[in-house]
Amino acid sequence: MSPRGVAIPDPRERLFAAAERVLSREGPAALTSRAITTEAGCAKGLLHAHFDGLDEFVAELALDRLARTAREAAELPGRAGRATVAGNLVTVALALLGSLEPAVIGLAMTRSGAALRIRRALEAGAPGFAAMQDAITAYLDAERRLGRLANGTDTATVALALVGTLHHLLMTGWAGAPHPREPAERLIALLIGSGPGDAESARTTPPG
């Protein structure tokens, strides 16, 4: 337990990580302010010092994880011409699928206050699925200009299909469900007309 008066480095991330552990181990019903701060090993009032209740905390956790993946997706156009197209897309897909515990998404959607905060934040421009879609479209446009993607590829539709499917996989990725990596790889291969080996290479070959 952190002593009173001692600063805690990055308290938001400490609380976010603690909440993810509680959710992963015990499920949404166990997530309370007390459970989070106990898991984080900090004072009970820390969560309420940074968030206006549990709904805001859950919303900010989901938005933080979405923003983290959106930042990674924003780097995707810079990878054009390197590695493989399928491999680069798989890298971003796996980052998104690993950025949010399915229980976090499920909890955020079932808590009306959290869901409303998330929707308003995204409408106001917070980085989320729309930003990822734009980054993927820009990347595919760059690869098409380089001749690594068929000239007639509808890049915006490919990006929409990929992000929409990843959203679905996140929403249905409950405990015991098959890992979503394989269907994501198959979809990417289908959308861009690559062989399965191109997507498979993303598991062993780092981008760049």
Side-chain angles (χ1 to χ4, degrees):
M1 185 71 68
S2 300
R4 292 180 181 272
V6 176
I8 300 174
D10 198 359
R12 285 170 55 93
E13 178 55 35
R14 181 169 178 172
L15 291 167
F16 287 160
E20 288 174 325
R21 293 194 298 272
V22 171
L23 284 168
S24 179
R25 187 176 63 242
E26 303 177 46
L31 194 73
T32 63
S33 299
R34 180 175 293 274
I36 294 166
T37 53
T38 297
E39 179 71 24
C42 58
K44 305 302 181 187
L46 182 66
L47 188 146
H48 291 284
H50 290 273
F51 304 95
D52 183 21
L54 197 56
D55 278 344
E56 183 181 33
F57 175 84
V58 170
E60 290 297 318
L61 168 57
L63 289 166
D64 180 86
R65 291 342 190 201
L66 285 172
R68 185 168 62 183
T69 307
R71 287 193 295 271
E72 182 158 349
E75 299 175 359
L76 191 55
R79 301 178 192 168
R82 293 185 284 165
T84 67
V85 176
N88 289 332
L89 291 176
V90 168
T91 296
V92 170
L94 295 183
L96 173 58
L97 292 171
S99 67
L100 275 170
E101 285 282 343
V104 173
I105 289 288
L107 182 62
M109 294 301 101
T110 56
R111 296 184 68 97
S112 58
L116 180 60
R117 287 176 182 272
I118 292 170
R119 188 182 73 189
R120 287 176 174 171
L122 293 175
E123 288 174 350
F129 291 105
M132 296 174 211
Q133 184 179 329
D134 290 344
I136 292 171
T137 301
Y139 165 71
L140 293 172
D141 286 341
E143 293 287 23
R144 188 175 57 186
R145 289 192 295 270
L146 291 171
R148 301 213 309 162
L149 202 60
N151 196 45
T153 301
D154 184 346
T155 56
T157 299
V158 170
L160 174 62
L162 178 56
V163 172
T165 300
L166 293 174
H167 182 271
H168 168 75
L169 291 172
L170 272 173
M171 294 296 293
T172 57
W174 310 116
H179 195 283
R181 172 166 49 194
E182 186 176 344
E185 290 178 343
R186 291 201 307 268
L187 175 68
I188 288 168
L190 176 66
L191 288 173
I192 66 173
S194 66
D198 291 335
E200 178 72 19
S201 68
R203 301 187 187 186
T204 56
T205 305

